[in-house]
Amino acid sequence: MTALEIGIASFPVLMLLIFLRVPIGLSMFLVGLGGLIWVTDGTQVAFGRLKSETYTTFSSYSLTIVPMFLLMGHFATLGGMSTALFKAAEGFLGHRKGGVAMASIGACAGFGAICGSSLATAATMGRVALPELKQYGYAGGFSTATLAAGGTLGILIPPSVVLVIYAILTEQNIAKLFLSAFIPGLLAALGYVIAISIYVRLYPESAGTRPPVPMRERFAALFHVWPVLLVFGLVVGGIYLGWFTPTEGAAVGAFGTGFIAWTNGGLTRETLADSFLVTARSTAMIFFIVLGAGFYNGFLALTKVPQELADFVVSQGLSPWMVLALILAFYLVFGCLMDSLSMILLTIPIFFPVISAMDFGLLSLPAMQADAAMEVLKAGVPEGMGAEMLASIQDAIASGAELTREQMKELGIRVTEGRVNRIEAEYVAIWFGVLVLIVVEVGLITPPVGMNLFIINAMDRKTRMIDTYKAVMFFVASDLIRVVILVAFPIITLLPLMLMQ
């Protein structure tokens, strides 16, 4: 067998190990190690890579952001921030039909802004909101489905551990990815609220009502949310404004939430030790998956499977949009069977070269030149520019033609094809990353193996899983509509980046 054939044959072997319930990190590691031994016809390269891959993976400075964000989520729970968020949202929405469920979504969105884990968001908000939903007569399946869907906001609304891993894999700017995910995250929360509104109208008996809260109590509850706003503003705002790097921002967030938890009495010597232990366990699990993926993807790179796949797809003449649709459909299907982080680590090194080879036409040279020219002209006509040159520039902008070198020189701008291609490549990478994050997030609530569904259902043993499955399909439908909108209108994702250019 050729190296390429061995690389292709490794996929069914890997899937078999995963379906036999071998931990995915170990599965990728074993297949990658065995594949390297087979391709290189010996153990020297494989064992040498074992040493180098382990060191380069765990010595990565960027990965230190992962335990910091996980620890920040634990401290936020100890500080009572999850409860404060829910109470504030419930005060303003709880008296409406389906309002407590809507408040749960709002609280999940707020908690997701200080916790980069979907599972942690689902588990934390489940403990806070599930008793309230039960108390006010919400159906079991509807309650668990709502909290499972709300938990997915933990990885979509920045900061996000999965986005950090994607940024490392594709060598993208973490802060720009966080910024681009913000609007899709808000759209997700809005879509879930709409889904709840539709559900309670179709099934009125599934949701009870609660008495309105006096306005004074509403604003009192809102006041207690200030620690969340402070931490989110400091961490995310500080990253965007360049005050500190994402890793430093994560450390600042962990310290801030820890300090707030200590002042609230939630952080003691015992709970601090427990937080460190839980964070260490979660980090070890994530890092081992990262190591296994690195080893397996290194084996695939040696067999040239990603490069050959990219060349094959391009040679088929399929439109970039068709290729993107097929990749997203793949994520939707396999997201039902694998967790989000594993999916990202396993597939991005394969699919990203394919997407990078496609031309989606997100930017054009004349449009960028026109934008740069209008910026200059807005400040006034440059000194020494003649009326004839000004008229020719205005005609080129109006007709959508490229500016000549002389015209750009007169304007003092430099917008070349190479620069446009670099910016478009970055835009495509970030847009694709947000889309992948969303479709992988859908897998967390899609039967039969939605991880969030099992976490929430474990907290409510009286609710049948089939009832949760039925109710969660409304949220899945909302997610699919959102995916279609973000694919059709990339500007929604990329607008914050374009405004920063």
Side-chain angles (χ1 to χ4, degrees):
M1 294 178 70
T2 65
L4 179 62
E5 290 171 341
I6 294 172
I8 295 173
S10 70
F11 286 106
V13 175
L14 178 62
M15 290 297 107
L16 177 62
L17 288 175
I18 292 172
F19 286 128
L20 290 175
R21 306 186 74 82
V22 177
I24 189 164
L26 182 60
S27 299
M28 290 190 287
F29 175 79
L30 292 175
V31 173
L33 181 65
L36 279 174
I37 292 174
W38 193 356
V39 169
T40 59
D41 198 24
T43 60
Q44 184 174 357
V45 173
F47 288 171
R49 184 170 179 80
L50 177 61
K51 178 178 66 176
S52 61
E53 187 70 34
T54 303
Y55 174 77
T56 55
T57 297
F58 296 137
S59 64
S60 172
Y61 177 72
S62 299
L63 277 178
T64 57
I65 197 173
V66 174
M68 289 294 101
F69 278 142
L70 293 176
L71 186 61
M72 185 167 69
H74 287 297
F75 285 163
T77 304
L78 293 174
M81 297 184 191
S82 55
T83 303
L85 284 165
F86 179 71
K87 290 299 182 184
E90 187 184 33
F92 284 90
L93 297 172
H95 60 282
R96 301 177 181 274
K97 189 67 173 178
V100 181
M102 295 177 186
S104 301
I105 295 297
C108 286
F111 193 75
I114 52 174
C115 176
S117 169
S118 173
L119 301 182
T121 301
T124 301
M125 296 312 304
R127 287 192 293 269
V128 173
L130 195 56
E132 293 281 323
L133 289 165
K134 290 292 186 182
Q135 179 181 345
Y136 293 109
Y138 281 70
F142 179 43
S143 301
T144 52
T146 297
L147 293 171
T152 62
L153 299 173
I155 62 170
L156 185 54
I157 294 180
S160 168
V161 170
V162 176
L163 273 183
V164 170
I165 300 298
Y166 176 86
I168 294 171
L169 289 174
T170 58
E171 299 180 351
Q172 298 302 313
N173 185 286
I174 295 175
K176 290 182 178 180
L177 273 165
F178 282 180
L179 186 64
S180 298
F182 192 72
I183 294 178
L186 295 180
L187 286 178
L190 178 62
Y192 289 162
V193 169
I194 294 173
I196 290 170
S197 180
I198 294 172
Y199 189 91
V200 296
R201 279 165 174 75
L202 293 176
Y203 305 99
E205 73 286 350
S206 65
T209 56
R210 54 155 296 168
V213 176
M215 193 60 67
R216 179 179 295 179
E217 292 184 22
R218 295 183 191 184
F219 284 104
L222 191 62
F223 174 77
H224 292 296
V225 176
W226 71 264
V228 178
L229 299 177
L230 177 63
V231 172
F232 177 76
L234 186 61
V235 174
V236 179
I239 292 173
Y240 295 155
L241 294 174
W243 293 349
F244 31 69
T245 66
T247 304
E248 292 166 348
V252 169
F255 176 81
T257 51
F259 180 77
I260 292 169
W262 175 69
T263 57
N264 290 343
L267 187 63
T268 63
R269 183 177 298 179
E270 292 75 18
T271 57
L272 177 63
D274 185 60
S275 296
F276 284 156
L277 183 60
V278 173
T279 300
R281 286 173 177 168
S282 300
T283 303
M285 178 191 70
I286 292 172
F287 278 18
F288 186 70
I289 295 175
V290 171
L291 175 63
F295 216 79
Y296 180 64
N297 292 325
F299 154 67
L300 289 181
L302 183 64
T303 62
K304 297 186 177 180
V305 169
Q307 300 93 315
E308 292 293 334
L309 178 61
D311 293 341
F312 173 77
V313 171
V314 172
S315 67
Q316 296 306 299
L318 297 174
S319 73
W321 301 96
M322 178 61 72
V323 174
L324 177 63
L326 291 174
I327 290 176
L328 294 180
F330 171 88
Y331 277 114
L332 286 172
V333 173
F334 275 81
C336 304
L337 307 172
M338 297 172 63
D339 68 274
S340 56
L341 181 61
S342 302
M343 281 285 291
I344 293 288
L345 287 165
L346 176 61
T347 59
I348 287 301
I350 300 170
F351 289 148
F352 185 70
V354 175
I355 291 296
S356 299
M358 298 287 168
D359 181 15
F360 289 92
L362 299 183
L363 289 176
S364 68
L365 179 59
M368 282 199 65
Q369 288 177 335
D371 289 342
M374 286 189 290
E375 263 319 298
V376 173
L377 294 177
K378 214 179 276 185
V381 178
E383 186 177 349
M385 179 182 290
E388 186 177 342
M389 175 61 72
L390 177 61
S392 69
I393 292 173
Q394 290 173 335
D395 289 342
I397 293 173
S399 63
E402 291 185 21
L403 297 179
T404 64
R405 186 173 299 176
E406 290 75 19
Q407 289 171 331
M408 287 194 290
K409 186 176 180 181
E410 287 285 335
L411 289 166
I413 62 174
R414 180 175 173 80
V415 183
T416 63
E417 190 74 42
R419 183 187 173 194
V420 172
N421 291 338
R422 285 193 299 273
I423 295 175
E424 180 168 17
E426 181 184 50
Y427 281 0
V428 169
I430 290 174
W431 175 53
F432 179 63
V434 174
L435 289 175
V436 168
L437 183 69
I438 292 171
V439 292
V440 166
E441 157 219 328
V442 178
L444 292 171
I445 58 172
T446 306
V449 195
M451 293 294 292
N452 279 16
L453 301 179
F454 286 104
I455 286 177
I456 299 298
N457 252 78
M459 300 179 182
D460 185 12
R461 298 290 187 182
K462 294 181 180 179
T463 298
R464 298 182 304 165
M465 183 62 79
I466 189 65
D467 294 332
T468 303
Y469 285 168
K470 290 177 181 177
V472 83
M473 296 314 296
F474 282 77
F475 297 99
V476 172
S478 170
D479 280 330
L480 295 180
I481 293 171
R482 178 162 43 98
V483 170
V484 172
I485 292 173
L486 293 177
V487 169
F489 304 102
I491 185 67
I492 296 174
T493 303
L494 299 175
L495 180 61
L497 287 185
M498 293 178 174
L499 294 176
M500 288 181 62
Q501 289 291 342

